[in-house]
Amino acid sequence: EVIGDKYAESSKIKKVLLCTGKVYFDLLEKQQKEKRKDVDIIRLEQLDPFPKNTVLKELKKYKVETVYWVQEEPENMGAYTYMLRVSGLKIMHVARKASSSPATGYAKIHKADQAEIVNKAFKI
């Protein structure tokens, strides 16, 4: 239900990213390509019932006040509001701008938006 990061180094962590789904693989690719051992990526495989104790156990390894929820969906969709409600964590989000549609409809724009989300997650 919760998969911790084995690439990042606990003592160097400055930021923790929580995510689920395909965006994990995009984040992982950037992390390893740039050799970012200061960013931890935690993948949630189950959101309901929320594995709060397992997530908290994973987060106790690091001294960070805020964690970031990264999602492909626009900020008004996806699991962000659910995470705010059930996690009990101080969470900021990284997502596409709010939209009435979950996708742009154009592969080229989607790819650019996805790259922007991944880049933003590592810059914050």
Side-chain angles (χ1 to χ4, degrees):
E1 44 188 43
V2 177
I3 301 171
D5 194 331
K6 292 182 178 21
Y7 182 78
E9 294 179 18
S10 299
S11 61
K12 295 182 179 181
I13 298 301
K14 295 178 183 171
K15 181 188 308 184
V16 175
L17 305 175
L18 291 174
C19 65
T20 189
K22 180 195 162 293
V23 74
Y24 167 77
F25 297 100
D26 297 331
L27 294 169
L28 180 67
E29 180 182 345
K30 182 168 181 75
Q31 179 197 43
Q32 293 182 353
K33 185 178 181 181
E34 295 182 0
K35 297 179 174 53
R36 295 290 303 268
K37 296 195 180 254
D38 63 330
V39 178
D40 187 76
I41 305 168
I42 299 173
R43 181 172 61 174
L44 302 181
E45 291 294 310
Q46 174 180 312
L47 293 176
D48 189 34
F50 185 71
K52 187 173 186 174
N53 292 334
T54 311
V55 171
L56 291 175
K57 182 179 175 184
E58 192 67 33
L59 290 174
K60 282 184 182 179
K61 298 176 185 178
Y62 316 111
K63 295 178 182 178
V64 293
E65 288 184 26
T66 304
V67 295
Y68 294 87
W69 176 256
V70 183
Q71 66 181 32
E72 294 181 81
E73 298 85 5
E75 61 188 47
N76 60 322
M77 298 179 191
Y80 175 61
T81 54
Y82 174 78
M83 290 295 293
L84 285 174
R85 202 172 62 244
V86 302
S87 71
L89 301 169
K90 181 179 177 185
I91 297 178
M92 299 297 290
H93 73 287
V94 179
R96 288 176 168 74
K97 294 181 287 185
S99 173
S100 60
S101 173
T104 63
Y106 296 99
K108 187 175 180 180
I109 294 173
H110 173 79
K111 195 172 185 177
D113 286 349
Q114 190 72 5
E116 184 180 333
I117 290 168
V118 172
N119 289 330
K120 185 177 177 183
F122 281 86
K123 284 182 184 177
I124 295 175

